[in-house]
Amino acid sequence: MCDSTHNHNHVHDHNHEHQHQETLNIEELSGDARTFELTRRSVMQALGLGALSSVFAPLGAAPAGAADMGLTPKTVNPWKPYRFHLAGDHHIHTQYSRDAMHTVDRQVSKGTEYGLDWMVITDHGGTAHQKYSVDMITKDISAARRTYGNTAIFQGLEWNVPGAEHATVILPPHNTTPSVLKQFELLFDGTVLADAKKITNANASDGEPYAVAGLKWLADQVKSGTVPMALMFANHPTRKGLDSPAEVRAWRDAAPGIAMGWEGAPGHQAAGISTADGGPGSGRGYYDNSFDEKYSYAGYRATATENPLRTYGGFDWATARVGGLWDSLLAEGKPWWITANSDSHQMFKETFVGGNLTTGINLDSNYYNTTGRYDNPVDKGVPITTYGDYWPGYYSRTIVSSISKSYLTLMRALKSGLILTTHGGLIDGADIRVTTSDDAQGVTTGGRTFVTKGGTVTATITIDLASRANYAGFIPLLKKVDLISGPITGPVTDQQTMFAPNTKVEKTFEVSQTSGQAVFTYTYKNVGDSFYLRYRGSDGKVLAANGVDPAMDVMGNSNPWNDLWFYSNPVFIDAI
């Protein structure tokens, strides 16, 4: 995957035969607008108390030992040499969020300036947002699409997941998109449900059935043709310890074509810059929380050696820990992808304040609650160092590999796991190809291939090393690449399983060159069991005591530019 990074002389392929379409055409997604009636029956059905929605087969989710059950071996995400590699961000806030302030145009303008090809506007769900904001922001997004015709701008939602944390919901441009978002929010947003006294608290366990029902409801909207597609990625999953392993599995298994993954790396990365360096002095990602005795999952309590409520090298603990929760999900042989985003609200050292304030730079939430928006921000001309975010594209990137830049094709790429995540321009891109003695073409990230037992599997990563300065003004140097792999052991019996003890760093490659392409190959010989593999890489500046893993970020003193990583998504290999 090559990253279209830092300028608009985009690098998309090693071969430049393909060119972007100049203006995205969304007419293909238009259709007859549908009306929605909130009847008791529709609510009962959504909660699974009436006719249950069908369960879709997850992409490439054949269980371990599929061949033994008479299933035909197949490949998913075959490796191809020519794809667009498009950088984006699916977690961006505007003045239509209760805690953000910038216009849609401003966020899209800055994201485009910093090299993004696609963005998702994801303002916080809530009673005022559902009542007022969706209709207003729909118009602003439409205007931005006309202004920035070569940038895909999705309308989404940061869903307050009942009984858990937050999640991005993404819909493509369609006449029904605003109506679907509004009804989904009314029926299934945790804050809306709590305000309406339907659950005791947005984070309380009595909301968990609503989360599952909401995902099934979205799947039904796709199945019925109400909307062409819908996707969900959980945001900052262990920031407060609210997303238990069982809840994550329930989301994934309830709607495997909708619930596709989580933010492997949260936004708010500037929050960890120390006050001595003129920063906010918090935790990277605002992962600065204490364990909540009432709502945090017990398995996330800190131990003497690790704390799941902290980031590690800027990545969420559930992703960064080898053999941790992400690996326990992958060991089931089912898709669960990671992304990296800005969670952009208010930018470190920018000079703007909100259009409606109480005191200092504090936003007037009472104004928002009665209008669903804030007035346009005001430039005070003085850099503000207590803001903890970066503009979209400035630091974090979710890079998808796609055959085109159309909205649905981008969403299909996200759904398929054709995703690479990077921080701080550590690398320009990476191409991953896994071949076997039975599959000479091979597959790439998010893919699935097969090998006859006793055969070989060859994993190759070709990395385009950083060729230009990042937005901190230096060219990063990649120092090491880890190949991580573990056995596919099948579905778990205990839904709270959060470790995969047999997953390990198979090989660490030291990177000696400083420019061009670095190619690393590893061969698994005499393969006996199904397994998966994934990659990560680092500038090597901050490592754990073992010299391999990321270190836990220091609270109040973790400059994100001094600890850069990239992570790939996995490849599954079925031994037959």
Side-chain angles (χ1 to χ4, degrees):
M1 287 181 145
C2 298
D3 179 1
S4 55
T5 315
H6 307 316
N7 58 48
H8 287 287
N9 297 315
H10 293 322
V11 179
H12 300 291
D13 303 301
H14 304 305
N15 178 308
H16 297 281
E17 294 177 0
H18 301 288
Q19 299 295 324
H20 282 326
Q21 59 198 66
E22 289 303 314
T23 302
L24 291 164
N25 181 3
I26 64 173
E27 292 180 1
E28 62 180 294
L29 303 185
S30 64
D32 293 334
R34 298 170 186 244
T35 57
F36 296 89
E37 183 180 357
L38 298 181
T39 63
R40 181 178 183 275
R41 176 178 173 79
S42 69
V43 176
M44 295 288 280
Q45 286 179 331
L47 287 172
L49 302 177
L52 294 176
S53 60
S54 62
V55 178
F56 300 149
L59 178 70
D68 297 334
M69 296 185 289
L71 300 179
T72 302
K74 62 179 181 179
T75 61
V76 176
N77 289 3
W79 179 86
K80 297 177 181 179
Y82 307 124
R83 281 193 175 103
F84 296 125
H85 301 294
L86 306 172
D89 187 325
H90 73 64
H91 193 171
I92 300 170
H93 293 271
T94 75
Q95 65 197 124
Y96 298 105
S97 283
R98 63 181 180 273
D99 56 358
M101 63 185 189
H102 285 290
T103 64
V104 171
D105 184 87
R106 177 74 165 165
Q107 289 284 39
V108 174
S109 172
K110 299 302 287 188
T112 301
E113 177 184 345
Y114 293 123
L116 296 188
D117 301 287
W118 59 271
M119 288 168 258
V120 188
I121 304 301
T122 54
D123 287 302
H124 288 288
T127 301
H129 183 270
Q130 194 278 336
K131 186 175 181 180
Y132 306 113
S133 307
V134 175
D135 292 328
M136 292 186 286
I137 199 171
T138 298
K139 297 176 182 178
D140 288 1
I141 290 174
S142 295
R145 286 176 182 146
R146 292 190 294 270
T147 302
Y148 305 94
N150 197 35
T151 302
I153 308 166
F154 292 88
Q155 184 168 4
L157 169 74
E158 183 160 24
W159 177 29
N160 298 299
V161 183
E165 254 267 16
H166 301 156
T168 289
V169 174
I170 309 172
L171 297 180
H174 195 271
N175 289 349
T176 60
T177 291
S179 298
V180 169
L181 286 173
K182 288 179 72 172
Q183 190 178 18
F184 174 78
E185 199 171 344
L186 184 63
L187 290 173
F188 304 111
D189 185 85
T191 298
V192 175
L193 291 168
D195 287 349
K197 308 300 182 185
K198 294 183 179 180
I199 59 177
T200 55
N201 183 283
N203 302 136
S205 60
D206 61 351
E208 292 178 19
Y210 284 88
V212 170
L215 289 165
K216 290 182 177 180
W217 185 87
L218 282 175
D220 279 343
Q221 306 319 303
V222 175
K223 182 180 178 182
S224 67
T226 303
V227 288
M229 285 189 74
L231 297 175
M232 177 274 235
F233 288 86
N235 295 336
H236 35 72
T238 67
R239 181 180 65 171
K240 297 180 180 179
L242 302 178
D243 296 0
S244 74
E247 286 177 279
V248 173
R249 286 185 168 91
W251 306 334
R252 182 200 61 190
D253 295 344
I258 305 293
M260 299 312 306
W262 62 34
E263 281 181 343
H268 308 308
Q269 288 283 324
I273 298 174
S274 69
T275 54
D277 290 333
S282 182
R284 283 177 80 171
Y286 287 124
Y287 275 51
D288 56 356
N289 300 280
S290 299
F291 186 89
D292 188 322
E293 295 293 339
K294 191 171 185 179
Y295 298 122
S296 297
Y297 172 61
Y300 296 149
R301 288 184 185 276
T303 68
T305 57
E306 61 185 337
N307 185 348
L309 276 62
R310 300 291 178 263
T311 53
Y312 287 71
F315 278 70
D316 186 280
W317 172 87
T319 294
R321 189 195 194 280
V322 173
L325 181 53
W326 187 32
D327 286 317
S328 81
L329 295 168
L330 298 180
E332 294 187 69
K334 298 179 181 180
W336 195 252
W337 318 134
I338 65 166
T339 62
N341 302 292
S342 66
D343 200 353
S344 174
H345 288 69
Q346 298 163 316
M347 271 45 75
F348 178 56
K349 289 189 175 180
E350 70 165 309
T351 59
F352 281 80
V353 300
N356 308 92
L357 305 176
T358 52
T359 58
I361 59 174
N362 297 316
L363 294 166
D364 184 356
S365 59
N366 287 330
Y367 182 87
Y368 175 84
N369 290 337
T370 58
T371 62
R373 70 186 296 273
Y374 292 110
D375 293 337
N376 291 353
V378 178
D379 188 355
K380 293 295 187 179
V382 178
I384 300 171
T385 59
T386 55
Y387 292 160
D389 306 345
Y390 291 122
W391 292 106
Y394 191 90
Y395 182 79
S396 303
R397 289 166 179 270
T398 295
I399 306 163
V400 298
S401 177
S402 176
I403 60 173
S404 84
K405 202 179 181 182
S406 76
Y407 283 88
L408 287 180
T409 307
L410 282 166
M411 289 184 71
R412 292 186 189 107
L414 284 165
K415 181 177 178 177
S416 299
L418 291 161
I419 304 168
L420 177 74
T421 65
T422 66
H423 274 171
L426 176 61
I427 60 175
D428 286 351
D431 177 70
I432 293 166
R433 185 180 189 181
V434 178
T435 60
T436 78
S437 46
D438 298 282
D439 176 16
Q441 180 181 3
V443 300
T444 189
T445 55
R448 182 171 224 109
T449 185
F450 61 93
V451 62
T452 302
K453 289 185 178 182
T456 61
V457 173
T458 301
T460 301
I461 183 168
T462 302
I463 300 171
D464 294 311
L465 299 172
S467 60
R468 49 200 179 273
N470 59 23
Y471 292 113
F474 65 92
I475 300 176
L477 292 177
L478 181 69
K479 288 297 185 181
K480 76 180 191 76
V481 175
D482 299 323
L483 171 62
I484 298 165
S485 57
I488 297 174
T489 52
V492 297
T493 54
D494 180 0
Q495 298 300 298
Q496 296 288 25
T497 298
M498 56 190 292
F499 296 107
N502 294 319
T503 296
K504 62 181 180 178
V505 175
E506 191 74 45
K507 174 73 173 179
T508 293
F509 303 97
E510 301 298 329
V511 184
S512 58
Q513 66 194 86
T514 59
S515 62
Q517 287 188 334
V519 181
F520 302 105
T521 298
Y522 185 85
T523 300
Y524 297 83
K525 298 179 180 179
N526 194 26
V527 174
D529 297 307
S530 300
F531 70 102
Y532 69 93
L533 62 86
R534 60 184 180 87
Y535 290 93
R536 70 182 182 191
S538 167
D539 62 3
K541 292 180 179 178
V542 181
L543 297 173
N546 64 5
V548 177
D549 294 322
M552 183 171 70
D553 290 314
V554 177
M555 183 66 58
N557 187 19
S558 292
N559 189 319
W561 300 98
N562 293 335
D563 187 13
L564 301 177
W565 291 79
F566 81 82
Y567 280 64
S568 83
N569 274 285
V571 172
F572 299 99
I573 301 98
D574 291 318
I576 60 174

